[in-house]
Amino acid sequence: EDWWFEEINPIWPVWFWGDLDYSGMAILKSLRNRFGDIQAWPEGYEPMLNVLKKGGGHSPEIADKVEQVDPCETGCFYADHELLPSIRFHCRFIDQEIV
């Protein structure tokens, strides 16, 4: 609760894992803006990334996600250099529930 309400830095790593889409990356960005050094969780995103790179996932139109906006960057190295570029290249999204 101290970390959540008092803006105290945690003594352990904090990870985020959500949908592999622009809204998920925007959530990560917002959490980083509020709480600091939160990172995208590689162990959660890697299986999703593998599905994406094999042509899986869905287009934004199929899942009614056309209105999602690319956050450009999140401040997380892994998200900014691996996840977001992959979403942009493949033009597809992966829902977290696939894992």
Side-chain angles (χ1 to χ4, degrees):
E1 288 181 355
D2 288 342
W3 172 71
W4 189 264
F5 295 109
E6 308 286 331
E7 297 186 38
I8 295 171
N9 291 328
I11 57 173
W12 57 85
V14 180
W15 302 101
F16 171 79
W17 181 44
D19 288 346
L20 185 54
D21 60 18
Y22 292 141
S23 288
M25 297 296 102
I27 291 168
L28 172 60
K29 183 176 185 174
S30 293
L31 289 170
R32 287 181 56 79
N33 286 338
R34 168 66 173 90
F35 297 110
D37 194 28
I38 296 174
Q39 301 294 314
W41 185 45
E43 287 79 6
Y45 280 109
E46 283 300 317
M48 299 165 75
L49 199 54
N50 289 335
V51 169
L52 183 67
K53 289 179 178 179
K54 291 178 182 173
H58 53 78
S59 68
E61 295 80 14
I62 296 293
D64 197 28
K65 295 183 176 184
V66 176
E67 301 297 320
Q68 289 192 12
V69 177
D70 184 341
C72 298
E73 62 180 28
T74 65
C76 167
F77 186 86
Y78 177 62
D80 293 346
H81 291 91
E82 186 68 35
L83 301 178
L84 279 168
S86 293
I87 293 170
R88 293 177 190 125
F89 179 79
H90 294 284
C91 298
R92 300 182 71 77
F93 297 151
I94 304 285
D95 292 334
Q96 180 185 27
E97 291 81 9
I98 198 168
V99 177

